[in-house]
Amino acid sequence: MEKHRAIPQGYMTVGEAAKRMGITVRTLQYYDREGLLSPSAVSEGGRRLYTDKDILTLHQILSLKHLGFSLDDIKNRLIPLDTPEEVAQALTQQASALQEQINRLSNALRELEMLRTEVLQMRSVDFKKYADIIMNLEMKNDFYWLIKHFDDQTLDHIRSRFDKDSGTAFLRTFIELQEEAIRLQNAGVSAESETGQAFARDYWDMITAFTGGDTQMLAKLTKLGKFEGLDAKWQEKQALANAFIEPALDAYFAKLGRNPFA
């Protein structure tokens, strides 16, 4: 009873604070040592004393920890709680961090559902392809579903030439050139014009970067639009782009005096 009466009004012991937040005393002591949360006061008997303000700070720490932040990250994110504006800012910060996690989890769920669809469409279990699909989903590659059509040689070639960053850059170039081909076709630009031939040069440079001069890979690219079960919208878009790409490359190779696809 003496110990209980010795606690000033408005304060709580480390045990009471830990119980209130559903954590251990050892955890609170650890946060104190790490400089995350020190008690607001110490009793005459040397007992750590915490206030409701400390509990709010502790709530910040536990929320950020639950969201996966490291202790160093949490130290940098903690803000004072001396005014209503600062408390509101802390709550806004936590809400923002929570929304980020919701977005990450939503994306992860979407990717899992997409992978599940691909797994059911594949004729055999292939964990290397599953890993490639996951990476391409993370890269926001809308053509991730093409992976299930590639043979092992093609996938090994891609793995050896591209990592996540270079793969993303290549994909961006491919999409930009596909869109440019459709735009030029719709605008009625001649494939043999200076603009058409500049496009052909850029497109061939992209293909060369992909194949690395491997003629076997070049041959496989010609079969890219001939797989069974391809997405209808993708096929339609490819047809629009190829309506300009093919004559532009034909004219480009004619000027070079060679046709690597022949």
Side-chain angles (χ1 to χ4, degrees):
M1 293 294 293
E2 279 299 314
K3 284 187 176 180
H4 180 72
R5 286 196 295 268
I7 304 303
Q9 186 176 1
Y11 290 87
M12 66 192 83
T13 65
V14 64
E16 291 169 336
K19 183 177 180 180
R20 182 168 171 180
M21 294 303 295
I23 60 176
T24 65
V25 169
R26 183 174 295 180
T27 297
L28 272 178
Q29 292 170 340
Y30 177 68
Y31 289 163
D32 186 8
R33 290 197 303 271
E34 292 296 315
L36 278 172
L37 177 62
S38 297
S40 291
V42 178
S43 71
E44 293 180 2
R47 304 178 71 186
R48 294 179 174 87
L49 302 178
Y50 293 85
T51 64
D52 286 335
K53 179 183 174 182
D54 295 328
I55 294 299
L56 188 53
T57 300
L58 180 58
H59 181 71
Q60 281 192 79
I61 295 170
L62 295 177
S63 297
L64 292 169
K65 186 174 181 292
H66 178 72
L67 293 175
F69 291 102
S70 68
L71 292 185
D72 286 338
D73 289 335
I74 294 173
K75 285 180 184 179
N76 294 329
R77 285 175 176 267
L78 289 177
I79 61 175
L81 300 173
D82 297 323
T83 67
E85 291 76 18
E86 288 172 343
V87 174
Q89 183 182 349
L91 295 174
T92 298
Q93 186 182 69
Q94 287 178 231
S96 177
L98 182 59
Q99 186 61 56
E100 288 177 8
Q101 188 185 41
I102 290 172
N103 293 340
R104 287 196 298 271
L105 290 174
S106 296
N107 288 334
L109 177 60
R110 177 183 62 83
E111 291 168 3
L112 284 174
E113 290 173 342
M114 290 178 172
L115 177 60
R116 177 180 179 275
T117 299
E118 296 303 299
V119 166
L120 291 175
Q121 292 178 3
M122 293 168 64
R123 297 176 181 176
S124 61
V125 174
D126 190 329
F127 287 101
K128 289 181 72 175
K129 279 191 178 182
Y130 299 164
D132 288 332
I133 291 171
I134 291 171
M135 176 175 286
N136 278 268
L137 286 170
E138 291 175 350
M139 291 164 53
K140 311 301 181 186
N141 179 4
D142 291 336
F143 309 118
Y144 67 91
W145 47 268
L146 276 172
I147 291 172
K148 65 176 175 286
H149 297 289
F150 292 153
D151 59 25
D152 290 341
Q153 182 185 7
T154 302
L155 288 175
D156 285 340
H157 173 84
I158 293 172
R159 294 175 190 128
S160 68
R161 290 192 61 79
F162 299 99
D163 57 19
K164 191 172 183 178
D165 290 337
S166 60
T168 300
F170 177 85
L171 180 64
R172 188 183 304 114
T173 299
F174 172 76
I175 293 173
E176 289 173 353
L177 288 174
Q178 292 291 94
E179 296 292 342
E180 178 67 3
I182 294 172
R183 187 189 70 79
L184 293 174
Q185 176 69 13
N186 291 337
V189 175
S190 170
E192 298 182 358
S193 68
E194 183 177 345
T195 298
Q197 288 305 284
F199 169 86
R201 182 184 64 251
D202 291 341
Y203 198 85
W204 180 241
D205 286 343
M206 178 194 67
I207 292 177
T208 302
F210 177 82
T211 63
D214 188 332
T215 56
Q216 287 184 310
M217 287 300 107
L218 191 58
K220 290 178 182 294
L221 283 180
T222 63
K223 302 176 182 178
L224 188 59
K226 301 176 182 178
F227 297 128
E228 294 181 5
L230 290 178
D231 180 79
K233 290 184 178 180
W234 184 82
Q235 286 182 303
E236 181 180 354
K237 192 169 186 178
Q238 281 294 110
L240 289 173
N242 287 339
F244 187 84
I245 293 170
E246 291 176 358
L249 286 178
D250 286 343
Y252 181 71
F253 295 140
K255 290 181 181 180
L256 291 178
R258 62 183 182 85
N259 187 344
F261 289 102

